[in-house]
Amino acid sequence: MTQVDQYKGKLGFEIRDPDALSNGSTAVVDTLEEYGHSVRQFQSRNPNLIRLDCDHYRVELRYRRHPIKPTQASAAGADSTETPLRSSLGVTLTPNHPDHCDVELSELLLAMVLRRLAEDLDVATVDWLHVPFTLTRAAFLGVFEDAETHAESHAQSAADHAAPDAYPVTEIAADIAGIHAAKSSAPLSPQTTPEAPPPAATPIDAALDTPPPLPQPTNGAKPVANGRLRGRACFEPVEVTIAQLEEHYAAMLQSPDTRATGRHALEARNRARARAKAVMTPPRSSGTAVARLGGLLAAMPQRMIATTSHLLRSPQLRGHLHIVCGATALLALQSSAAVAF
């Protein structure tokens, strides 16, 4: 694949259009999105330059104003004519991945962008890639019209040639009825009856007797155009692919390594389940109840102490507790004769 760094085109104007850049950027964005290249970033820091970042390309639109520049523009079927240009709009497509970019598709995309700009703007001339001459607007757009007309005529002629000679339906039905009648009236003992000449071949007989086309072999040569596979030749038939996959999976399942691996995996899973079940299942014995009761009895003093401390810390009982403690202290002092009332 020939590596191309940039794809360039230029549109010439006989007037200075200040809105050519803004209107042209809108047309370019619509064309790119129409052909599957969504614009991810739009940069317009320079008043005469707009950059568009897509998935596969970077597009630049640059508008230039210059003095009157006489340009020789070639028209279709006529000699070149001198066209005075006062401004121009350049379009540049730069691939993000040049090594994996198709040259023909990139050129077609640039052609469609220039066509949309030539239709929406008041364009006088068109420069296409590195072609050494300049085209007029009518000559450039006429190429697309001729291509569309040629494609339509080619499709119509192909449809006309593809249609077989019309064979009346009534004659086809008569042929089928004649075949069944000949088969039903045939004698049971062909040894005693002279053989009748075979009936004349009809189109319906030829169609019924023609075997279906055999699929192309997978290892055979495929149609190649310009060193590249084209159309359905790039892919194997679906039936062949399914058959190959089924054979491959069956061979994998029947291989000794696969069976051994599956057996070892099953045994490891059973062992892991047994260990988990042994850990999660509590032992059933008489000592379990005794141990549980001992744990409850040992935890009771701790619970009582915790409940008492919680009650003593309660703000509702704090004042009453102080009064009780003071009265108890006075009674103790009086009983020891340390204080007399």
Side-chain angles (χ1 to χ4, degrees):
M1 180 183 296
T2 304
Q3 180 176 348
V4 178
D5 296 335
Q6 290 182 339
Y7 302 87
K8 296 182 180 180
K10 185 172 67 174
L11 306 174
F13 302 90
E14 295 182 352
I15 59 174
R16 293 182 178 178
D17 187 2
D19 298 330
L21 188 60
S22 59
N23 297 335
S25 62
T26 304
V28 171
V29 170
D30 294 341
T31 306
L32 293 174
E33 292 183 350
E34 181 180 356
Y35 288 94
H37 299 280
S38 59
V39 178
R40 298 178 177 177
Q41 191 173 6
F42 187 99
Q43 298 180 5
S44 180
R45 300 177 181 177
N46 191 321
N48 296 326
L49 178 64
I50 290 179
R51 289 188 175 92
L52 307 175
D53 292 337
C54 304
D55 48 0
H56 296 293
Y57 300 96
R58 295 189 305 274
V59 185
E60 289 187 1
L61 301 177
R62 186 181 297 273
Y63 180 74
R64 292 184 174 91
R65 294 184 295 270
H66 46 74
I68 297 178
K69 179 182 179 181
T71 304
Q72 297 292 332
S74 300
D79 297 334
S80 349
T81 57
E82 184 174 334
T83 304
L85 302 179
R86 298 179 62 89
S87 60
S88 61
L89 178 64
V91 182
T92 304
L93 266 69
T94 304
N96 294 331
H97 310 284
D99 297 336
H100 305 280
C101 181
D102 191 278
V103 177
E104 296 180 358
L105 294 179
S106 302
E107 292 178 354
L108 290 175
L109 182 61
L110 178 62
M112 298 310 298
V113 169
L114 294 177
R115 178 188 182 184
R116 181 67 178 272
L117 291 173
E119 292 176 348
D120 293 351
L121 303 178
D122 190 9
V123 177
T125 61
V126 179
D127 289 319
W128 162 253
L129 293 177
H130 302 289
V131 177
F133 54 88
T134 303
L135 294 174
T136 61
R137 178 179 181 274
F140 180 75
L141 295 179
V143 174
F144 295 94
E145 297 176 357
D146 295 341
E148 293 175 355
T149 305
H150 179 70
E152 293 177 358
S153 61
H154 180 71
Q156 183 65 28
S157 61
D160 295 340
H161 288 294
D165 296 334
Y167 194 72
V169 179
T170 55
E171 296 183 9
I172 295 176
D175 293 337
I176 296 175
I179 293 171
H180 287 289
K183 291 182 179 180
S184 60
S185 61
L188 298 178
S189 56
Q191 293 81 2
T192 59
T193 306
E195 295 183 357
T202 58
I204 188 63
D205 295 335
L208 293 175
D209 295 337
T210 302
L214 297 177
Q216 296 181 356
T218 57
N219 55 355
K222 297 181 179 181
V224 179
N226 297 329
R228 184 183 303 174
L229 297 176
R230 296 292 185 180
R232 298 185 178 180
C234 300
F235 307 97
E236 297 287 350
V238 178
E239 296 79 4
V240 176
T241 305
I242 293 175
Q244 292 177 355
L245 290 176
E246 291 179 352
E247 294 177 1
H248 180 66
Y249 293 152
M252 289 178 60
L253 294 176
Q254 296 299 329
S255 63
D257 297 338
T258 304
R259 291 198 298 269
T261 304
R263 184 173 63 255
H264 295 327
L266 182 61
E267 293 175 357
R269 185 185 62 181
N270 293 336
R271 289 196 298 268
R273 288 184 177 179
R275 287 196 299 267
K277 186 176 181 181
V279 172
M280 298 300 296
T281 303
R284 297 181 180 179
S285 60
S286 58
T288 305
V290 176
R292 185 178 301 175
L293 180 60
L296 292 176
L297 293 177
M300 286 182 62
Q302 298 179 1
R303 293 180 180 178
M304 293 176 63
I305 294 173
T307 304
T308 304
S309 62
H310 178 70
L311 292 175
L312 292 177
R313 291 177 183 177
S314 177
Q316 290 82 2
L317 299 178
R318 189 172 299 171
H320 302 285
L321 182 60
H322 291 172
I323 294 174
V324 172
C325 290
T328 303
L330 289 176
L331 290 174
L333 291 175
Q334 184 181 5
S335 61
S336 62
V339 178
F341 293 96

